[in-house]
Amino acid sequence: VVCIAPDDPYWPALPCARDARVQLAPGGRERCDSVLSGLQRLDELGANEHDWVLVHDAARPNLADSDLHKLLSTLADDPVGGLLAVPVRDTLKQIGPDGRVSSTPDRSLFWQAYTPQMFRLGPLQQALAEALAAGARITDEASAMEWVGQAPLLVEGRADNLKITRPEDLEWLRQRER
């Protein structure tokens, strides 16, 4: 299921847009709204609440097959689910209200969250709905699961599963493809 704005001008021209296996759901204002819409579409298509769903951000076009297989095999019997992630490499700084460094946390405690994120359909749908109804700030599916008291498992992936958010990210990916 691809969650996309109904007036997206690029989707109709893509070859996958004509693939009968690909279903659409309306995209929302925020990622969590889009994901909830996609989960509802899976319900309509007959998915079971115990089925695993993987949520992947299209802005991460460099997902390695090995990472996907690692995620699937690691979480196959997990009671909660989890996500691809990488340990942070850089020193982190916490900023104070004055714009100055207030502390340097231990970076071994921090990981960068990536996608795909993998959870059971029913629990993820319920967690997203409850968190949104409560006005919680949900930045990814794992944060919704955390909000309802679950502890998703981090599965170490490759750092080149880069999210394309800045022009230099796209240029880096183009250089890599050459």
Side-chain angles (χ1 to χ4, degrees):
V1 174
V2 176
C3 302
I4 195 162
D7 60 348
D8 183 277
Y10 305 103
W11 175 256
L14 296 174
C16 59
R18 293 179 290 283
D19 188 324
R21 297 171 296 176
V22 178
Q23 298 290 311
L24 295 181
R29 198 171 136 262
E30 300 289 335
R31 171 181 166 148
C32 52
D33 301 311
S34 296
V35 171
L36 199 52
S37 174
L39 297 176
Q40 182 177 349
R41 181 72 179 123
L42 286 171
D43 270 342
E44 293 166 2
L45 293 168
N48 182 293
E49 70 177 39
H50 301 291
D51 289 339
W52 285 111
V53 295
L54 282 83
V55 178
H56 186 58
D57 192 335
R60 290 189 186 276
N62 203 40
L63 173 64
D65 285 344
S66 58
D67 276 1
L68 180 58
H69 292 295
K70 184 178 182 181
L71 183 72
L72 292 168
S73 63
T74 301
L75 297 177
D77 296 318
D78 193 87
V80 176
L83 61 149
L84 286 176
V86 295
V88 299
R89 295 177 176 171
D90 299 319
T91 297
L92 300 176
K93 299 293 183 184
Q94 186 167 352
I95 190 171
D98 59 357
R100 296 189 176 275
V101 173
S102 63
S103 69
T104 302
D106 178 357
R107 72 176 166 206
S108 70
L109 301 175
F110 294 92
W111 287 58
Q112 290 177 259
Y114 284 5
T115 65
Q117 298 193 8
M118 179 174 159
F119 299 99
R120 302 271 183 195
L121 173 64
L124 178 57
Q125 192 171 27
Q126 182 177 349
L128 282 167
E130 288 179 15
L132 290 173
R137 185 167 185 270
I138 300 301
T139 57
D140 66 355
E141 297 69 45
S143 63
M145 297 300 287
E146 294 163 46
W147 193 84
V148 295
Q150 297 296 317
L153 183 66
L154 295 176
V155 177
E156 187 168 355
R158 294 170 43 135
D160 64 356
N161 184 3
L162 183 69
K163 186 173 183 180
I164 306 298
T165 55
R166 303 179 54 84
E168 59 265 25
D169 299 334
L170 188 55
E171 185 56 34
W172 177 88
L173 189 59
R174 284 186 181 134
Q175 292 293 328
R176 192 161 191 265
E177 289 177 348
R178 291 182 187 163

